Amino acid sequence: DQQVKQNSPSLSVQEGRISILNCDYTNSMFDYFLWYKKYPAEGPTFLISISSIKDKNEDGRFTVFLNKSAKHLSLHIVPSQPGDSAVYFCAASGGLGPGGGADGLTFGKGTHLIIQP
Amino acid sequence: SQTIHQWPATLVQPVGSPLSLECTVEGTSNPNLYWYRQAAGRGLQLLFYSIGIGQISSEVPQNLSASRPQDRQFILSSKKLLLSDSGFYLCALGVFGNTIYFGEGSWLTVV
């Protein structure tokens, strides 16, 4: 049973436009959500996170929106740049402690974002 | 600042051979450490979690084991590799706010 779903395996966006990556979850116990960016043959790097007590968090070009009632979150990248081309993972946590404790993070399968010039 | 070192970066191993992947962290003490795996076409799967020396919990029954001989060292092992063990293995450090930071990863191909 996949608790975190990223239904778009890939997304192509023109440089300078907005990229919107979507993520859905099913576990109501999740209360912390994160986005990671991954280049080929490298470990994922942390981008941005949001607690369930908020509905929006912004960091530079990156904004994450959380809709708890719909169990949906999205990552907006504005404006999109060539260096944003990568695989983006959505992750969720309901555990206690650094890193989500014993439960760790639950990841989606990722969305491959391609920024076209 | 905290850093995570993981090695080897890549390895090709025959079926039935042993495995040892090592991870060390710097800039922190008593860290929560994790091993994740990304198999082809799949997301990141939690394999092992460790809260301290000698304390390991396993999330998925498998052909792998983990050990934590020192506070900032985490080792992933196998006595006999299977083809299905191929994948990208990531050591990770838990930090404040339920966030984790990943190492560079180790590509394992079992042939």
Side-chain angles (χ1 to χ4, degrees):
Chain A
D1 178 34
Q2 202 176 347
Q3 299 185 65
V4 177
K5 298 179 182 180
Q6 294 177 255
N7 292 318
S8 298
S10 66
L11 175 67
S12 185
V13 175
Q14 198 167 13
E15 181 180 356
R17 307 292 287 268
I18 182 171
S19 295
I20 300 176
L21 296 98
N22 294 303
C23 178
D24 298 293
Y25 63 96
T26 58
N27 190 337
S28 300
M29 300 303 293
F30 288 147
D31 59 4
Y32 197 78
F33 305 89
L34 310 92
W35 285 94
Y36 285 82
K37 175 182 179 180
K38 184 182 181 300
Y39 293 118
E42 294 183 9
T45 54
F46 169 72
L47 269 180
I48 192 169
S49 61
I50 187 168
S51 165
S52 59
I53 62 174
K54 296 184 177 181
D55 56 16
K56 177 182 175 181
N57 188 26
E58 191 172 356
D59 183 2
R61 296 186 299 114
F62 302 93
T63 303
V64 55
F65 295 92
L66 175 63
N67 183 333
K68 283 187 63 179
S69 60
K71 292 189 175 66
H72 177 84
L73 63 154
S74 61
L75 174 68
H76 292 210
I77 306 174
V78 183
S80 299
Q81 300 175 354
D84 296 331
S85 294
V87 176
Y88 289 79
F89 288 99
C90 171
S93 171
L96 295 176
D103 296 330
L105 302 183
T106 301
F107 286 84
K109 292 186 177 181
T111 296
H112 185 194
L113 176 64
I114 302 164
I115 305 301
Q116 295 181 333
Chain B
S1 63
Q2 299 151 338
T3 57
I4 305 168
H5 301 287
Q6 190 178 336
W7 70 94
T10 60
L11 65 166
V12 179
Q13 296 285 103
V15 169
S17 65
L19 171 73
S20 180
L21 300 179
E22 293 197 32
C23 172
T24 58
V25 299
E26 296 177 357
T28 183
S29 59
N30 301 316
N32 283 8
L33 295 176
Y34 300 86
W35 279 108
Y36 282 82
R37 175 174 63 193
Q38 183 186 14
R42 303 185 65 178
L44 295 156
Q45 180 188 34
L46 176 61
L47 300 177
F48 296 98
Y49 162 69
S50 174
I51 196 173
I53 295 174
Q55 301 179 70
I56 310 292
S57 65
S58 174
E59 294 298 316
V60 180
Q62 58 214 329
N63 185 42
L64 303 169
S65 62
S67 62
R68 185 143 171 203
Q70 300 180 39
D71 180 50
R72 286 172 286 179
Q73 184 184 25
F74 202 21
I75 299 172
L76 182 70
S77 304
S78 174
K79 292 183 179 179
K80 289 185 179 182
L81 285 168
L82 305 172
L83 286 174
S84 58
D85 292 325
S86 294
F88 192 47
Y89 288 82
L90 292 152
C91 179
L93 165 69
V95 297
F96 180 79
N98 283 20
T99 306
I100 60 173
Y101 293 149
F102 288 96
E104 307 95 333
S106 297
W107 272 110
L108 170 65
T109 303
V110 182
V111 296

